[in-house]
Amino acid sequence: NRHAQQQQEEELEQSSLMLDTGNEKYPEQRNLTIESLQSSNPSKCGYLMKKNRSIMATLFPCFVKQWKKRYFILIGNFLFRFSSSDSDYPKGVPIPLDVVRIGIVDTCCIEISMIRKVYHFKADSAKEASEWVDAIIERKHLALKESMGHAKSTKKIQDINKSASSLFKRKLKSESEVQSNITNPLHSLN
């Protein structure tokens, strides 16, 4: 059951939130391009290694990469990840800072956990890992102040937050529909 859930998470991440700006299916995502995020004064950006949580990586660790290099941008209330700094759009769903716990679990390994998922990222050095953790915590605190009206954010950051939040909510809705179909297979026949 756990493996089926992991596989469904992967499939959802790869398919349900693919950006489709060609036919304007999700026009609010146009401001989530790497170029747009980079030009909006991000708190931090750079490469980290992301732990591969796929079933294939678990079953065949000798044949499937355990860590994947990803480009990250920390901006607004979210942490975005991209396949590389040359990618156009985010890979997967942005990580909302307001619901995460963050810490260093090993010298260079960062753990970001939410109720629904735990991410592991590896930096090149302990110093870099510490810088990422500090930047995420600082940005999280500022995001909370902004949401309560105790700090101002730019219109561009507000738009980025709105678009990223829309992506995240769509992912949650999609996951709950899949979970509903798993727990009640007859539900999907209606």
Side-chain angles (χ1 to χ4, degrees), residues 180-190:
S180 175
N181 291 339
I182 291 171
T183 56
N184 184 3
L186 298 177
H187 180 275
S188 62
L189 298 176
N190 295 335

Side-chain angles (χ1 to χ4, degrees), residues 9 15 31 38 48 54 78 80 112 115 122 126 154 156 159 161-162 164 168 171 173 175 178 181 183-184 186:
E9 284 179 11
S15 65
N31 66 339
Q38 294 272 39
L48 292 169
S54 73
F78 293 88
F80 296 86
I112 297 179
I115 290 174
K122 195 183 325 181
T154 66
K156 195 161 188 173
D159 291 343
N161 287 339
K162 184 177 178 183
F168 186 74
K171 169 76 171 188
K173 182 180 179 193
E175 283 180 352
V178 168
N181 291 339
T183 56
N184 184 3
L186 298 177

Side-chain angles (χ1 to χ4, degrees), residues 15-16 18-29 170:
S15 65
S16 70
M18 291 199 158
L19 297 175
D20 188 2
T21 57
N23 65 10
E24 297 300 320
K25 187 174 180 183
Y26 306 115
E28 75 275 5
Q29 297 171 359
R170 192 167 341 116

